[in-house]
Every structure is written in C-alpha cells, then in structure tokens.
Amino acid sequence: MGGAITIGEWIFSAKPHSTAISPDRTTVWSFDLEGRPISWFEGELTYKRSLASAVHARSRRGGTRRRWIVPPEEARALFARILEGVARAPRAELPRRLSERIDLILSWTPDRLLAEKERFDRAYEPITILPPDQYLSIVVQATRGCTWNRCTFCSFYQDRPFAVRTPEEFARHLDAVRDLLGRGAALRRGLFLADGNALVLARSRLLPLVRAARDAFPGRPIAGFVDVFSGERKPEEEWRELRDEGLARAAIGIETGHDPLLAWLDKPGSAGEALRFTETLARAGIGLSLIFMCGVGGDRFAGAHLRDSLALIERLPLRPGDIVYLSPFVEHPGSEYARRARAEGIRPLPPAEIEAQMSALREGVRRRHPQVRVAPYDIREFVY
C-alpha cells in the first residue's frame, strides 16, 4: 500500500479516495470515504459489496473459478466480522486522519449497511450491465431500458420499455445519487450515462441531460453505450459537440464482424456500418470501447464469426486509449437466443473453443493495433 503505516502485523493506508486496512498477510479490507466496505480479501476468497449492499463472492481453487451472491444473512455476518476486526485495530500510534476514518467505519452496523439497498432503490432503476472500465464510474440514468431491446441474446432490459427522463426527473435522480454516494463519490473517477443506448437521443434531449450530469458531478470524463445502427445516424458535428461537453468514450457492442450472425441475433447494423461509425467517432475525438462476443452463434457460426471479426479488427480506426473487450458468451436460460439455438440444433461452444476464439481475436488486435488495450469482459463479474 502506498504511504502505508505498519503496526505489528497491521497495515493501514489512508488513500485520497479510500481506506485500506490489513490485519494480517491474508486479509485486506477496503472502504470508501463514507466508511462503507467496498471489497475485501480473505485467503482465497474475494468479496465485493455493491452500492445496494449485495455481496458478490469469488473464489479460485484448483483452477476452478466460482462466483456467487452471498445471501443477506451471510452478508450481515460478513459485515459484522469486518467491523469486529477493525474494532480490534491498534490505534494509539495512528495519525489523526486515519483514526478519524476508522471512527467513520465503526459508525456503521451490519443492519445499517444492509439498509443501503433501500437508499439505492430510491436513487436507481436496476443497473444491469456496464463496460468493465466503467465499474467505478458514477452511473446516472438519463434513460430507462434500450431503444432496440430485440437482440435475442440480451435479457438486460426486456422488462423495461425505453423511456427518457425529463429534465426535472433527471435532476431529482441526480440529487438521490449524490445523496447515496456522499463522500464515496471520490472513489468514482468517471461518469456513465445510462441505460442502454442513451447516447442515441436527439441533440435537443441529450445535451441538457449531459450538462446536468456534468454539473452535478464535475471534472469526470463521460461515457455511455451506443449501438451502431442508431449511432451512425447522428452526424459527426453532433459527436464533436458531445465531446466538447465532456463525452470521452462510447461503448459499442459490435459482437461480431459476420453479418449473417448479426442478422440471426436480431442485432441491427453490419460490419460495414460499424466501421463507418467508429471512423466517425474517431474523427470526432471520442474514445472507443468495442465489445466482441466469443462463442456466440455456437458451432454453426464459429468459423465465419472468427474470420470476419478478425477482418473487421484489421480495418478499425483504433488509437491509444481505445479498448477492445472480448466477452465470453453467456446464454441466458429462457432467452430467444436459447430457444432459437435449440430449435435449429446449434451446439454451444465448449469453454476450450470459446477460449480459442478469444486468443485468436486477442492476437489479431495486438498484431494490428499494438497500442490498444485488449481485455476480457465477463458479464458475470459485474458489480456496481
């Protein structure tokens, strides 16, 4: 830990945006500036607490990775164990700043932490997905749902018709988010304009929302989702204007460079449109986070999906700071994708074949765009 203080086996660190405390070599607890747990490590177990106080657990043993959401009563016990541990910390030699942070941590109780879900629900509609580089952004929901909402593989917004918040509704939402985060907002360096496809709004509706979000949480780069089909219709001048208002990055689910697979997924757009749209955004000075799914389309589309995605990657206008995400496909039970694949006898790719696709795409990006970051994007890891 940078700037850490060591007392016996204990290590303390008062970082500008968080506090970390480690009582031994196998345990680390991290807290936001409100004193709420953020994440902690206990041996081979990793826990992350969402803003709604859902505790997500992860372990890796014998090469097997397991993920689960901890039941509320178990979460209560975990919170109690952390607070009891912090209460045992030797504090006599700590500087006042650290001691005050520990007082703030100990002002919480397990029940009060669990009750944060009520405040979260007052501030937010469900937040179902973000790009990984935005997990520690402040999410502000200018819209609800997705403008398209017909992709067979996506179930994130199926129960939410698309709607746009009025400026008055958005102002109340921003106040509720600011109240929920409190000083914990310092941990969050970016601003994400949600939900799905919020950036496709017409200029007259989008700009007031962008400006209100920027004024509520100043000094943070803005990002958001946009799809190829809708985003391409916005002229380059509007994208430049959005960049000048603070939009730094657009996250685009390209999914595949194989047009027949896009059609089979009911995903609008084409590889050619994706290329033209990313070129427009690049000229406008907006960073790109591009998502390709690995394993989607199963055995029927595997070869063409890989071939055409590599061909598209060769032509994309990627620059330093851009990100290419490779997302292992997760089939949602009961989805239209699952029904269609079963009806047509399409075999899901086994993990080894999905990993082979990811490796090939990763090498394709690194060969053609060595300055661009390539990263995994496992939707099962999402915590906000």
Short mmCIF file of all heavy atoms in Angstrom, two decimals, residues 30 91 96 147 159 226 250 330:
data_model
loop_
_atom_site.label_atom_id
_atom_site.label_comp_id
_atom_site.label_asym_id
_atom_site.label_seq_id
_atom_site.Cartn_x
_atom_site.Cartn_y
_atom_site.Cartn_z
N SER A 30 -11.18 -2.90 2.30
CA SER A 30 -11.16 -1.57 1.69
C SER A 30 -12.50 -0.88 1.92
O SER A 30 -13.55 -1.54 1.84
CB SER A 30 -10.87 -1.67 0.19
OG SER A 30 -9.57 -2.18 -0.03
N ARG A 91 -4.71 1.51 17.61
CA ARG A 91 -4.90 2.86 17.08
C ARG A 91 -4.08 3.93 17.79
O ARG A 91 -4.03 5.07 17.34
CB ARG A 91 -6.38 3.22 17.14
CG ARG A 91 -7.25 2.29 16.32
CD ARG A 91 -8.72 2.58 16.51
NE ARG A 91 -9.07 3.96 16.17
CZ ARG A 91 -10.31 4.44 16.26
NH1 ARG A 91 -11.30 3.65 16.66
NH2 ARG A 91 -10.56 5.70 15.95
N ARG A 96 -4.09 11.24 13.27
CA ARG A 96 -5.49 11.60 13.49
C ARG A 96 -6.35 11.30 12.26
O ARG A 96 -7.49 10.83 12.41
CB ARG A 96 -5.57 13.10 13.83
CG ARG A 96 -6.98 13.59 14.07
CD ARG A 96 -6.96 15.06 14.45
NE ARG A 96 -8.31 15.57 14.59
CZ ARG A 96 -8.58 16.84 14.90
NH1 ARG A 96 -7.58 17.70 15.10
NH2 ARG A 96 -9.83 17.24 15.01
N THR A 147 -33.26 1.32 -26.60
CA THR A 147 -34.09 1.74 -27.72
C THR A 147 -34.47 0.58 -28.64
O THR A 147 -35.55 0.58 -29.23
CB THR A 147 -33.36 2.81 -28.55
OG1 THR A 147 -32.07 2.30 -28.93
CG2 THR A 147 -33.20 4.09 -27.78
N ASP A 159 -37.68 -6.27 -19.45
CA ASP A 159 -38.85 -5.92 -18.65
C ASP A 159 -39.01 -4.41 -18.50
O ASP A 159 -39.82 -3.94 -17.70
CB ASP A 159 -38.75 -6.57 -17.27
CG ASP A 159 -37.51 -6.14 -16.50
OD1 ASP A 159 -36.58 -5.60 -17.14
OD2 ASP A 159 -37.47 -6.34 -15.28
N VAL A 226 -23.79 3.01 -26.96
CA VAL A 226 -24.48 3.41 -28.18
C VAL A 226 -24.40 2.24 -29.15
O VAL A 226 -23.39 1.53 -29.19
CB VAL A 226 -23.86 4.69 -28.79
CG1 VAL A 226 -22.40 4.49 -29.17
CG2 VAL A 226 -24.67 5.17 -29.98
N ALA A 250 -17.30 6.11 -26.02
CA ALA A 250 -18.53 5.40 -26.38
C ALA A 250 -18.27 3.91 -26.35
O ALA A 250 -17.27 3.43 -26.91
CB ALA A 250 -19.00 5.82 -27.77
N VAL A 330 -22.48 -15.74 -22.72
CA VAL A 330 -23.25 -16.38 -21.66
C VAL A 330 -24.69 -16.48 -22.15
O VAL A 330 -25.35 -15.46 -22.38
CB VAL A 330 -23.18 -15.57 -20.34
CG1 VAL A 330 -24.05 -16.22 -19.28
CG2 VAL A 330 -21.73 -15.46 -19.87
#
